[in-house]
Amino acid sequence: KGFSETYDGLELEYRGASQLLKARARAGLTQDAVAEIMGTTKSAISRLEAAGKHAPSLSTLQRYARAVGCKLEVKLVPER
């Protein structure tokens, strides 16, 4: 039960990390290339793409999105 609750609590982080990885793959970029575009390090990109490791700021996510040729959208969806 505890594992299930913990995993469910990280669902958003895993979905976000998956989106980052897919966007970088579509752009045909390595972590090194994205880091260079963003003016940061490969290890920072690795942490950004790792679910549950930390919570990046919206400005960091916007910079990442621009680096991989995307725009960032944030939506609030009413609960049912």
Coordinates of all heavy atoms in Angstrom, one line a residue:
K1 N 0.8 -1.2 0.0 CA 0.0 0.0 0.0 C 0.9 1.3 0.0 O 0.6 2.2 -0.8 CB -0.9 0.0 1.2 CG -1.8 1.2 1.2 CD -2.8 1.2 2.4 CE -3.6 2.4 2.4 NZ -4.6 2.5 3.4
G2 N 1.9 1.3 0.8 CA 2.8 2.5 0.9 C 3.5 2.7 -0.4 O 3.6 3.9 -0.8
F3 N 3.9 1.7 -1.1 CA 4.6 1.8 -2.4 C 3.6 2.4 -3.4 O 4.0 3.4 -4.1 CB 5.1 0.5 -2.9 CG 5.6 0.6 -4.3 CD1 6.9 1.1 -4.5 CD2 4.9 0.2 -5.4 CE1 7.4 1.1 -5.8 CE2 5.3 0.3 -6.7 CZ 6.6 0.8 -6.9
S4 N 2.4 1.9 -3.4 CA 1.4 2.4 -4.4 C 1.1 3.9 -4.2 O 1.0 4.6 -5.1 CB 0.1 1.6 -4.2 OG -0.8 2.0 -5.1
E5 N 1.0 4.3 -2.9 CA 0.7 5.7 -2.6 C 1.9 6.6 -3.0 O 1.7 7.6 -3.6 CB 0.4 5.9 -1.2 CG -1.0 5.3 -0.8 CD -1.2 5.3 0.7 OE1 -0.3 5.7 1.5 OE2 -2.3 5.0 1.2
T6 N 3.1 6.1 -2.7 CA 4.3 6.9 -3.1 C 4.4 7.0 -4.6 O 4.6 8.1 -5.2 CB 5.5 6.2 -2.5 OG1 5.4 6.2 -1.1 CG2 6.8 7.0 -2.9
Y7 N 4.2 5.9 -5.3 CA 4.3 5.9 -6.8 C 3.2 6.8 -7.4 O 3.5 7.6 -8.3 CB 4.1 4.5 -7.3 CG 4.2 4.4 -8.8 CD1 5.5 4.4 -9.4 CD2 3.1 4.4 -9.6 CE1 5.6 4.3 -10.8 CE2 3.2 4.4 -11.0 CZ 4.4 4.3 -11.6 OH 4.5 4.3 -13.0
D8 N 2.0 6.7 -6.9 CA 0.9 7.6 -7.4 C 1.2 9.0 -7.2 O 0.9 9.9 -8.0 CB -0.4 7.2 -6.7 CG -1.0 5.9 -7.2 OD1 -0.5 5.3 -8.2 OD2 -1.9 5.3 -6.5
G9 N 1.9 9.3 -6.0 CA 2.2 10.7 -5.7 C 3.3 11.3 -6.7 O 3.4 12.5 -6.8
L10 N 4.1 10.4 -7.3 CA 5.1 10.8 -8.2 C 4.7 10.8 -9.7 O 5.4 11.1 -10.6 CB 6.3 9.9 -8.1 CG 7.1 10.1 -6.7 CD1 8.2 9.0 -6.7 CD2 7.7 11.5 -6.6
E11 N 3.4 10.4 -9.9 CA 2.9 10.3 -11.3 C 3.2 11.6 -12.2 O 3.7 11.5 -13.3 CB 1.4 10.0 -11.3 CG 0.9 9.8 -12.8 CD -0.6 9.6 -12.8 OE1 -1.3 9.6 -11.7 OE2 -1.1 9.5 -13.9
L12 N 2.9 12.7 -11.6 CA 3.1 14.0 -12.3 C 4.6 14.2 -12.7 O 4.9 14.5 -13.8 CB 2.6 15.1 -11.5 CG 2.7 16.5 -12.2 CD1 1.9 16.6 -13.5 CD2 2.2 17.6 -11.2
E13 N 5.5 13.9 -11.7 CA 6.9 14.0 -12.0 C 7.3 13.1 -13.1 O 8.1 13.4 -14.0 CB 7.7 13.8 -10.7 CG 7.7 14.9 -9.7 CD 6.4 14.9 -8.8 OE1 5.6 14.0 -9.0 OE2 6.4 15.7 -7.9
Y14 N 6.9 11.8 -13.1 CA 7.2 10.9 -14.1 C 6.7 11.3 -15.5 O 7.4 11.2 -16.5 CB 6.8 9.4 -13.8 CG 7.7 8.8 -12.8 CD1 7.3 8.6 -11.4 CD2 8.9 8.3 -13.1 CE1 8.2 8.0 -10.5 CE2 9.8 7.7 -12.2 CZ 9.4 7.6 -10.9 OH 10.2 7.0 -10.0
R15 N 5.5 11.8 -15.5 CA 4.9 12.3 -16.8 C 5.7 13.5 -17.3 O 6.0 13.6 -18.5 CB 3.5 12.6 -16.6 CG 2.6 11.4 -16.8 CD 1.1 11.8 -17.0 NE 0.6 12.3 -15.7 CZ -0.3 13.2 -15.5 NH1 -0.7 13.9 -16.5 NH2 -0.7 13.5 -14.3
G16 N 6.1 14.4 -16.4 CA 6.9 15.5 -16.8 C 8.3 15.1 -17.3 O 8.7 15.6 -18.4
A17 N 8.9 14.2 -16.6 CA 10.2 13.7 -17.1 C 10.1 13.1 -18.5 O 11.0 13.3 -19.3 CB 10.8 12.8 -16.1
S18 N 9.1 12.3 -18.6 CA 8.9 11.6 -19.9 C 8.7 12.7 -21.0 O 9.2 12.5 -22.1 CB 7.6 10.7 -19.8 OG 7.3 10.1 -21.1
Q19 N 7.9 13.7 -20.8 CA 7.7 14.8 -21.8 C 9.1 15.4 -22.1 O 9.3 15.7 -23.3 CB 6.8 15.8 -21.2 CG 5.3 15.4 -21.1 CD 4.7 15.2 -22.5 OE1 4.9 16.1 -23.4 NE2 4.0 14.1 -22.7
L20 N 9.9 15.7 -21.1 CA 11.2 16.3 -21.4 C 12.1 15.4 -22.3 O 12.7 15.9 -23.3 CB 12.0 16.6 -20.1 CG 11.4 17.6 -19.1 CD1 12.2 17.7 -17.9 CD2 11.2 18.9 -19.8
L21 N 12.1 14.1 -22.0 CA 12.9 13.2 -22.8 C 12.4 13.1 -24.2 O 13.2 13.0 -25.1 CB 12.9 11.8 -22.1 CG 13.6 11.8 -20.7 CD1 13.3 10.4 -20.0 CD2 15.1 12.0 -20.9
K22 N 11.1 13.0 -24.4 CA 10.5 12.9 -25.7 C 10.8 14.2 -26.5 O 11.1 14.1 -27.7 CB 9.0 12.7 -25.6 CG 8.6 11.3 -25.2 CD 7.1 11.1 -25.0 CE 6.8 9.8 -24.5 NZ 5.3 9.7 -24.2
A23 N 10.7 15.3 -25.9 CA 11.0 16.6 -26.6 C 12.4 16.6 -27.1 O 12.7 17.1 -28.2 CB 10.6 17.8 -25.7
R24 N 13.3 16.2 -26.2 CA 14.8 16.3 -26.5 C 15.0 15.3 -27.7 O 15.8 15.6 -28.6 CB 15.6 16.0 -25.3 CG 17.1 16.0 -25.6 CD 18.0 16.0 -24.4 NE 17.8 14.9 -23.5 CZ 18.3 13.7 -23.7 NH1 19.1 13.4 -24.7 NH2 18.1 12.7 -22.8
A25 N 14.4 14.1 -27.6 CA 14.6 13.1 -28.7 C 14.1 13.6 -30.0 O 14.7 13.5 -31.0 CB 13.9 11.8 -28.3
R26 N 12.9 14.3 -30.0 CA 12.3 14.8 -31.2 C 13.2 15.9 -31.8 O 13.4 16.0 -33.0 CB 11.0 15.5 -30.9 CG 9.8 14.5 -31.0 CD 8.5 15.2 -31.0 NE 8.3 16.3 -30.0 CZ 7.8 16.1 -28.8 NH1 7.4 14.9 -28.4 NH2 7.7 17.1 -28.0
A27 N 13.9 16.6 -30.9 CA 14.8 17.7 -31.4 C 16.1 17.1 -31.8 O 17.0 17.8 -32.5 CB 15.0 18.7 -30.3
G28 N 16.4 15.8 -31.5 CA 17.6 15.2 -32.0 C 18.8 15.7 -31.2 O 19.9 15.7 -31.7
L29 N 18.6 16.1 -29.9 CA 19.7 16.7 -29.1 C 20.1 15.7 -28.0 O 19.3 15.0 -27.5 CB 19.2 18.0 -28.5 CG 18.8 19.1 -29.5 CD1 18.2 20.3 -28.7 CD2 20.1 19.6 -30.3
T30 N 21.4 15.8 -27.7 CA 21.9 15.1 -26.5 C 21.8 16.0 -25.3 O 21.5 17.2 -25.4 CB 23.4 14.8 -26.7 OG1 24.1 16.0 -26.8 CG2 23.7 13.9 -27.9
Q31 N 22.0 15.4 -24.1 CA 22.0 16.2 -22.9 C 23.1 17.3 -22.9 O 22.9 18.4 -22.5 CB 22.2 15.4 -21.6 CG 20.9 14.5 -21.3 CD 21.1 13.7 -20.0 OE1 22.3 13.4 -19.6 NE2 20.0 13.4 -19.4
D32 N 24.2 16.9 -23.5 CA 25.3 17.9 -23.6 C 24.9 19.1 -24.5 O 25.2 20.2 -24.2 CB 26.6 17.2 -24.3 CG 27.3 16.4 -23.3 OD1 27.5 16.8 -22.2 OD2 27.7 15.3 -23.7
A33 N 24.2 18.8 -25.6 CA 23.8 19.9 -26.5 C 22.8 20.8 -25.8 O 22.9 22.0 -26.0 CB 23.2 19.3 -27.8
V34 N 21.8 20.2 -25.1 CA 20.8 21.0 -24.4 C 21.5 21.9 -23.4 O 21.2 23.0 -23.2 CB 19.7 20.1 -23.8 CG1 18.7 21.0 -23.0 CG2 18.9 19.4 -24.9
A35 N 22.4 21.3 -22.7 CA 23.2 22.0 -21.6 C 23.9 23.2 -22.2 O 23.9 24.3 -21.7 CB 24.1 21.1 -20.9
E36 N 24.5 23.0 -23.4 CA 25.2 24.1 -24.0 C 24.3 25.2 -24.4 O 24.6 26.4 -24.2 CB 26.0 23.6 -25.2 CG 26.9 24.6 -25.8 CD 27.8 24.1 -26.9 OE1 28.2 22.9 -26.9 OE2 28.1 24.8 -27.9
I37 N 23.2 24.8 -25.0 CA 22.2 25.8 -25.4 C 21.7 26.6 -24.2 O 21.5 27.8 -24.3 CB 21.0 25.2 -26.2 CG1 21.4 24.6 -27.5 CG2 19.8 26.2 -26.4 CD1 20.4 23.6 -28.1
M38 N 21.4 25.9 -23.1 CA 20.9 26.6 -21.9 C 22.0 27.3 -21.1 O 21.7 28.0 -20.1 CB 20.2 25.5 -21.0 CG 18.9 25.0 -21.6 SD 18.1 23.8 -20.6 CE 17.7 24.8 -19.1
G39 N 23.2 27.0 -21.4 CA 24.3 27.6 -20.6 C 24.5 27.0 -19.2 O 24.7 27.6 -18.2
T40 N 24.3 25.6 -19.2 CA 24.4 24.9 -17.9 C 25.2 23.6 -18.2 O 25.9 23.5 -19.2 CB 23.0 24.6 -17.4 OG1 23.2 24.1 -16.0 CG2 22.2 23.6 -18.2
T41 N 25.2 22.7 -17.3 CA 26.0 21.5 -17.4 C 25.1 20.3 -17.7 O 23.9 20.3 -17.5 CB 26.7 21.2 -16.0 OG1 25.7 20.9 -15.0 CG2 27.6 22.3 -15.6
K42 N 25.8 19.3 -18.2 CA 25.0 18.0 -18.6 C 24.4 17.4 -17.3 O 23.3 16.9 -17.3 CB 26.0 17.0 -19.2 CG 25.3 15.7 -19.5 CD 26.3 14.7 -20.0 CE 25.6 13.3 -20.2 NZ 26.5 12.3 -20.5
S43 N 25.1 17.5 -16.2 CA 24.6 16.9 -14.9 C 23.3 17.7 -14.5 O 22.4 17.1 -14.0 CB 25.6 17.0 -13.8 OG 26.0 18.3 -13.5
A44 N 23.2 19.0 -14.8 CA 22.0 19.7 -14.4 C 20.9 19.3 -15.3 O 19.7 19.1 -14.8 CB 22.2 21.2 -14.6
I45 N 21.1 19.0 -16.6 CA 20.1 18.5 -17.5 C 19.7 17.1 -17.0 O 18.5 16.7 -17.0 CB 20.6 18.5 -19.0 CG1 20.9 19.9 -19.4 CG2 19.5 17.8 -19.9 CD1 19.8 20.9 -19.3
S46 N 20.6 16.3 -16.7 CA 20.3 14.9 -16.2 C 19.4 15.0 -15.0 O 18.4 14.2 -14.9 CB 21.6 14.2 -15.8 OG 21.3 12.9 -15.3
R47 N 19.7 15.9 -14.0 CA 18.8 16.0 -12.8 C 17.4 16.5 -13.2 O 16.4 16.1 -12.7 CB 19.5 17.0 -11.8 CG 20.6 16.4 -11.0 CD 21.0 17.4 -9.9 NE 21.4 18.7 -10.3 CZ 22.5 19.1 -10.8 NH1 23.5 18.3 -10.8 NH2 22.7 20.4 -11.1
L48 N 17.4 17.4 -14.2 CA 16.1 18.0 -14.7 C 15.2 16.9 -15.3 O 14.0 16.9 -15.1 CB 16.4 19.1 -15.7 CG 15.2 19.8 -16.3 CD1 14.5 20.6 -15.2 CD2 15.7 20.8 -17.3
E49 N 15.9 16.0 -16.0 CA 15.1 14.9 -16.7 C 14.8 13.7 -15.8 O 14.2 12.8 -16.2 CB 15.9 14.4 -17.9 CG 16.0 15.5 -19.0 CD 16.8 15.1 -20.2 OE1 17.5 14.0 -20.1 OE2 16.7 15.7 -21.2
A50 N 15.3 13.7 -14.5 CA 15.1 12.6 -13.6 C 13.9 12.9 -12.7 O 13.9 13.8 -12.0 CB 16.4 12.4 -12.8
A51 N 12.9 12.0 -12.8 CA 11.7 12.2 -12.1 C 11.9 12.0 -10.6 O 12.7 11.2 -10.1 CB 10.6 11.2 -12.5
G52 N 11.3 12.9 -9.8 CA 11.4 12.8 -8.4 C 12.6 13.3 -7.7 O 12.7 13.3 -6.5
K53 N 13.6 13.8 -8.5 CA 14.9 14.2 -7.9 C 14.7 15.6 -7.3 O 15.3 15.9 -6.3 CB 16.0 14.2 -8.9 CG 16.3 12.8 -9.4 CD 17.0 12.0 -8.4 CE 17.4 10.6 -8.9 NZ 17.9 9.8 -8.0
H54 N 14.1 16.5 -8.0 CA 13.9 17.9 -7.5 C 12.8 18.5 -8.4 O 12.4 18.0 -9.4 CB 15.2 18.7 -7.6 CG 15.6 19.2 -9.0 ND1 16.0 18.3 -10.0 CD2 15.6 20.4 -9.5 CE1 16.2 19.0 -11.1 NE2 16.0 20.3 -10.8
A55 N 12.4 19.7 -7.9 CA 11.3 20.4 -8.6 C 11.9 21.6 -9.3 O 12.2 22.6 -8.6 CB 10.2 20.8 -7.6
P56 N 12.0 21.5 -10.6 CA 12.6 22.7 -11.4 C 11.6 23.9 -11.4 O 10.4 23.7 -11.3 CB 12.8 22.1 -12.8 CG 11.8 21.0 -12.9 CD 11.6 20.4 -11.5
S57 N 12.1 25.0 -11.5 CA 11.3 26.2 -11.6 C 10.7 26.3 -13.0 O 11.1 25.7 -13.9 CB 12.1 27.5 -11.3 OG 13.0 27.7 -12.4
L58 N 9.6 27.1 -13.1 CA 9.0 27.3 -14.4 C 9.9 28.0 -15.4 O 9.9 27.6 -16.5 CB 7.7 28.1 -14.2 CG 6.5 27.4 -13.6 CD1 5.3 28.4 -13.4 CD2 6.1 26.2 -14.5
S59 N 10.8 28.9 -14.9 CA 11.7 29.5 -15.8 C 12.7 28.5 -16.3 O 13.1 28.6 -17.5 CB 12.4 30.7 -15.1 OG 13.2 30.3 -14.0
T60 N 13.2 27.6 -15.5 CA 14.1 26.5 -16.0 C 13.4 25.7 -17.0 O 13.9 25.3 -18.1 CB 14.6 25.7 -14.8 OG1 15.3 26.5 -13.9 CG2 15.4 24.5 -15.3
L61 N 12.1 25.3 -16.8 CA 11.4 24.5 -17.7 C 11.2 25.3 -19.0 O 11.2 24.7 -20.1 CB 10.0 24.1 -17.1 CG 10.1 23.0 -16.0 CD1 8.8 22.8 -15.4 CD2 10.8 21.7 -16.5
Q62 N 10.9 26.6 -19.0 CA 10.8 27.4 -20.2 C 12.1 27.4 -21.0 O 12.0 27.3 -22.2 CB 10.4 28.8 -19.8 CG 8.9 28.9 -19.4 CD 8.6 30.3 -18.9 OE1 9.3 31.0 -18.2 NE2 7.4 30.8 -19.4
R63 N 13.2 27.6 -20.3 CA 14.5 27.6 -21.0 C 14.7 26.2 -21.6 O 15.2 26.2 -22.8 CB 15.6 27.9 -20.0 CG 15.6 29.3 -19.6 CD 16.7 29.7 -18.5 NE 18.0 29.2 -18.9 CZ 18.8 28.5 -18.0 NH1 18.4 28.3 -16.7 NH2 20.0 28.1 -18.4
Y64 N 14.4 25.1 -21.0 CA 14.6 23.8 -21.5 C 13.7 23.6 -22.8 O 14.1 23.2 -23.8 CB 14.2 22.7 -20.5 CG 14.4 21.3 -21.0 CD1 15.6 20.6 -20.6 CD2 13.5 20.6 -21.7 CE1 15.8 19.3 -21.0 CE2 13.7 19.3 -22.2 CZ 14.9 18.7 -21.8 OH 15.1 17.4 -22.2
A65 N 12.4 24.1 -22.6 CA 11.5 24.0 -23.8 C 12.0 24.7 -25.0 O 12.0 24.2 -26.1 CB 10.1 24.5 -23.4
R66 N 12.5 25.9 -24.8 CA 13.1 26.7 -25.9 C 14.3 26.0 -26.5 O 14.5 25.9 -27.7 CB 13.5 28.1 -25.5 CG 12.3 29.0 -25.4 CD 12.7 30.5 -25.2 NE 13.5 30.8 -24.0 CZ 13.0 31.1 -22.8 NH1 11.7 31.2 -22.7 NH2 13.8 31.3 -21.8
A67 N 15.1 25.4 -25.6 CA 16.3 24.7 -26.1 C 16.0 23.5 -27.0 O 16.8 23.2 -27.9 CB 17.2 24.3 -24.9
V68 N 14.9 22.9 -26.8 CA 14.5 21.7 -27.6 C 13.5 22.1 -28.6 O 12.8 21.2 -29.2 CB 14.1 20.5 -26.7 CG1 15.2 20.0 -25.8 CG2 12.8 20.8 -25.9
G69 N 13.3 23.3 -28.9 CA 12.3 23.8 -29.9 C 10.9 23.7 -29.6 O 10.0 23.4 -30.4
C70 N 10.5 23.8 -28.3 CA 9.2 23.7 -27.9 C 8.8 25.0 -27.1 O 9.6 25.8 -26.8 CB 9.0 22.5 -26.9 SG 9.2 20.9 -27.7
K71 N 7.5 25.0 -26.7 CA 7.0 26.1 -25.8 C 6.4 25.3 -24.6 O 5.9 24.2 -24.8 CB 6.1 27.1 -26.4 CG 4.7 26.5 -26.7 CD 3.8 27.6 -27.3 CE 2.4 27.1 -27.3 NZ 1.4 28.1 -27.7
L72 N 6.5 25.9 -23.5 CA 6.0 25.3 -22.3 C 4.5 25.8 -22.1 O 4.2 26.9 -22.2 CB 6.8 25.7 -21.0 CG 6.4 25.2 -19.7 CD1 6.5 23.7 -19.6 CD2 7.1 25.9 -18.6
E73 N 3.7 24.8 -21.8 CA 2.3 25.1 -21.4 C 2.0 24.5 -20.1 O 2.3 23.3 -19.9 CB 1.3 24.6 -22.5 CG 1.4 25.3 -23.8 CD 0.3 24.8 -24.8 OE1 -0.4 23.8 -24.5 OE2 0.3 25.3 -25.9
V74 N 1.3 25.2 -19.2 CA 0.9 24.7 -17.9 C -0.6 24.8 -17.9 O -1.1 25.9 -18.2 CB 1.6 25.5 -16.8 CG1 1.1 25.0 -15.4 CG2 3.1 25.4 -16.9
K75 N -1.3 23.7 -17.5 CA -2.7 23.8 -17.5 C -3.2 23.3 -16.1 O -2.6 22.4 -15.5 CB -3.4 22.8 -18.5 CG -3.1 23.1 -19.9 CD -4.0 22.3 -20.8 CE -3.8 20.8 -20.7 NZ -4.5 20.1 -21.8
L76 N -4.3 24.0 -15.6 CA -5.0 23.5 -14.4 C -6.3 22.9 -14.9 O -7.0 23.5 -15.7 CB -5.3 24.7 -13.5 CG -4.1 25.3 -12.9 CD1 -4.5 26.5 -12.0 CD2 -3.3 24.3 -12.0
V77 N -6.5 21.6 -14.6 CA -7.6 20.9 -15.1 C -8.6 20.6 -13.9 O -8.1 20.0 -12.9 CB -7.2 19.6 -15.7 CG1 -8.4 18.8 -16.2 CG2 -6.2 19.8 -16.9
P78 N -9.8 21.0 -14.0 CA -10.7 20.7 -12.9 C -10.8 19.2 -12.6 O -10.8 18.4 -13.5 CB -12.1 21.3 -13.4 CG -11.8 22.2 -14.5 CD -10.5 21.7 -15.1
E79 N -10.8 18.9 -11.3 CA -11.0 17.5 -10.9 C -12.5 17.2 -11.1 O -13.4 18.0 -11.0 CB -10.6 17.4 -9.4 CG -9.1 17.6 -9.2 CD -8.7 17.2 -7.8 OE1 -9.2 16.2 -7.3 OE2 -7.9 17.9 -7.2
R80 N -12.7 15.9 -11.3 CA -14.1 15.5 -11.6 C -14.7 15.1 -10.3 O -14.3 14.7 -9.3 CB -14.1 14.3 -12.5 CG -13.5 14.6 -13.8 CD -13.4 13.4 -14.7 NE -12.5 13.9 -15.8 CZ -12.3 13.2 -16.9 NH1 -12.8 12.0 -17.0 NH2 -11.6 13.6 -17.8

